[in-house]
Amino acid sequence: MSLKRIAEMVGVSPSTVSRVLNNTSSTCASKEVRDKIFEAARKIGYQPNESARNLRMVSGKNIVQKHISIVLARINKLEEDPFFYELLRNLEIDLFEEHAVIDDIVYAEEKLTDNISKSQGVIILGRCSEKLLDQILLWNKNVVGIWRNSMNFNVDEVVCDGKKAAELAMNYLISLGHRNIAYIGDCSYESRYVGYCNSLIHHNIPMNYEQIKQTNQTGEEGRKAMEELLESSENFSAVFCANDVTAIHVLEVLKEWRRKHKKRISEISVISIDNIEESQDTSPLLTTIHIPRKEMAHMAVNLLLDRIEKKHSEAIRIEFPCRIINRSSCYPRENEE
């Protein structure tokens, strides 16, 4: 039985393996254990239990195992970006349920392997350059991308508009009375930065470039950017962070700043985008924009399998809405000038 074999490989109980492969929640097991379980599942070509398989065959559906490759187009290490880490785990669970085997997981900086040509389909995670996409399409024509904005490529894509997410976050801060809102994140070809700028323009709020900090959206650069903002003479009352990883470090800097200076500074609101698991454990709890990773992964798998089975040929674009998760890191601001 696959579950028992994975359990033996990892050194945990079959019930733990079952919980992890059916639920991406961090409460199932530690991150280290979950990583080992998913790695073992890929290694043995895990498939759901035999009884479930038989039930589906009895219903008249002939199950054919699919081989899929995944390309992480925007990051070099999965550990660098919890959003893509959680998205990949959701993808794996859906692929397992569809009796699909993951042949390869390729990072942006790695050379594409011929596993992509041997696979029946490819899922791309994150903003993809046209050059990279052309290389992938040379190997395989069955491609679906999951990214925040439509790339206008001739492939299937599942999106959640980053510009709309940023505008939702900004409009919320503005509704609380904030006018001096700093930005920490990528400013180059980045939809979230465009959403930030659009919101200021729409509300007739002047741009203050001293309050805009360009980063590569890692926690360490977010920390440095926030320290620079606090050390400056800029009078900002809120910070919009391009992702949760940045925001989590920003909240830590604020706490350290209060301890270091032995006095209470004005409450600074912090909001971001992604709603990763860690955002539920911050102090204060992080207000963020939810990106529906589970649903996006599920739809991407369905689209890819549908294309592999030649049930559609035209490029399909599916956009999911985002929504605000209102926790406790944003505060009203009265009569801000």
Side-chain angles (χ1 to χ4, degrees), residues 119-135:
S119 297
Q120 290 163 285
V122 180
I123 300 175
I124 306 173
L125 303 187
R127 188 172 65 197
C128 177
S129 69
E130 191 168 358
K131 180 180 178 181
L132 177 59
L133 180 62
D134 287 342
Q135 291 175 338

Side-chain angles (χ1 to χ4, degrees), residues 184 215 218-227 246 249-250 253:
I184 300 177
T215 73
T218 62
E220 201 54 44
E221 289 205 9
R223 168 180 289 275
K224 181 180 177 182
M226 188 60 188
E227 289 171 347
T246 298
H249 282 75
V250 163
V253 169

Side-chain angles (χ1 to χ4, degrees), residues 222-224 226-227 230 248-258:
R223 168 180 289 275
K224 181 180 177 182
M226 188 60 188
E227 289 171 347
L230 289 171
I248 289 167
H249 282 75
V250 163
L251 289 174
E252 291 175 355
V253 169
L254 284 171
K255 286 191 291 186
E256 292 167 4
W257 188 268
R258 291 187 181 98

Side-chain angles (χ1 to χ4, degrees), residues 69-83:
S69 287
I70 295 175
V71 177
L72 290 154
R74 195 168 181 176
I75 58 175
N76 299 321
K77 292 181 180 179
L78 198 57
E79 293 75 17
E80 291 178 355
D81 196 315
F83 174 83

